[in-house]
Amino acid sequence: MIALKVSITNKDALILVDIQNDFCVGSLAVPNACDIIKYANSYIEIFKKNIRPIFATRDWHPKNHSSFKEFGGIWPIHCIQNTDGSMFYKDLRLPNDTLIISKGTNPDKDAYSGFDGTDLHDKLKNLNINRLFIGGLATDYCVKATILDALALDYTTFFLSDASKAVNLKPDDEALSINEMLKAGAILIDLNDLIQ
């Protein structure tokens, strides 16, 4: 589905996925990740202006996390709790009241989705949210997983295409991921589609 013009309502929340140092400039940097920061900040300003909740998910791994190559996973060590790599990228202008969702905290289980093993769904329900605007890093992993879970939980879900970048371990991973999200019911938008 392609959106035309979308207004922010009192049922909306912004979710920015894993815009952390290790994914921007560190051990698992997504190609051109820093290009999304200005767009993410624009979405933040729009949601602040509309007094809508802003969530930021983060990988928050213990040192022995199972996703690391050293422990049988596929990724280099990244986003270890309380290290510089796990901090949100310095140019991301998250408000002080941003709701932080930590995931991947169980050493034995990977968690790409912001809903996996967290209280994100409960927090959204308590705020009477039914539409989510989701972007971040990376399109083909944690953004996709978060969006697919949101759709499975019956949220109307917008994919922020200009505020997301893919890892692209294979060259067509991004395109395949976007197609999968759209087939599941996500709505692709960019800043130009929002009535500000």
Side-chain angles (χ1 to χ4, degrees):
M1 291 167 52
I2 304 298
L4 294 174
K5 287 294 181 182
V6 181
S7 297
I8 302 300
T9 76
N10 63 1
K11 298 289 189 180
D12 297 347
L14 175 65
I15 300 178
L16 295 173
V17 176
D18 299 4
I19 306 180
Q20 296 166 269
N21 287 331
D22 273 344
F23 295 129
C24 289
V25 293
S27 63
L28 192 47
V30 175
N32 304 309
C34 292
D35 292 351
I36 74 168
I37 301 300
K38 63 181 179 181
Y39 298 105
N41 286 335
S42 294
Y43 287 109
I44 288 168
E45 288 305 312
I46 292 166
F47 277 75
K48 276 175 57 180
K49 184 177 77 173
N50 285 276
I51 318 174
R52 302 311 308 140
I54 296 169
F55 289 79
T57 73
R58 63 183 181 183
D59 271 5
W60 198 243
H61 295 317
K63 292 179 181 178
N64 60 338
H65 197 259
S66 60
S67 71
F68 301 158
K69 288 177 181 174
E70 288 82 348
F71 299 100
I74 64 170
W75 303 114
I77 291 173
H78 63 280
C79 298
I80 292 176
Q81 297 169 4
N82 297 307
T83 62
D84 182 66
S86 69
M87 299 298 125
F88 293 111
Y89 187 62
K90 62 180 175 63
D91 294 335
L92 185 67
R93 296 197 293 268
L94 291 172
N96 291 333
D97 60 353
T98 299
L99 295 151
I100 308 299
I101 302 295
S102 299
K103 61 188 179 66
T105 58
N106 179 343
D108 300 321
K109 185 178 185 299
D110 209 353
Y112 290 135
S113 168
F115 292 95
D116 190 348
T118 74
D119 62 353
L120 175 56
H121 182 49
D122 290 337
K123 282 184 167 22
L124 292 167
K125 284 301 166 196
N126 289 337
L127 292 166
N128 295 311
I129 300 299
N130 62 24
R131 296 203 312 177
L132 300 177
F133 293 71
I134 302 175
L137 303 171
T139 303
D140 39 355
Y141 288 93
C142 296
V143 172
K144 180 181 80 169
T146 302
I147 284 178
L148 293 177
D149 277 357
L151 291 165
L153 291 165
D154 290 328
Y155 292 97
T156 300
T157 305
F158 298 89
F159 165 57
L160 307 179
S161 60
D162 48 358
S164 304
K165 287 288 182 185
V167 176
N168 277 329
L169 289 180
K170 296 177 184 174
D172 56 353
D173 280 353
E174 181 176 32
L176 290 171
S177 296
I178 291 172
N179 188 50
E180 184 179 352
M181 290 186 282
L182 297 182
K183 279 189 170 179
I187 303 161
L188 186 150
I189 65 169
D190 61 29
L191 274 172
N192 295 321
D193 297 313
L194 277 187
I195 299 171
Q196 300 180 38

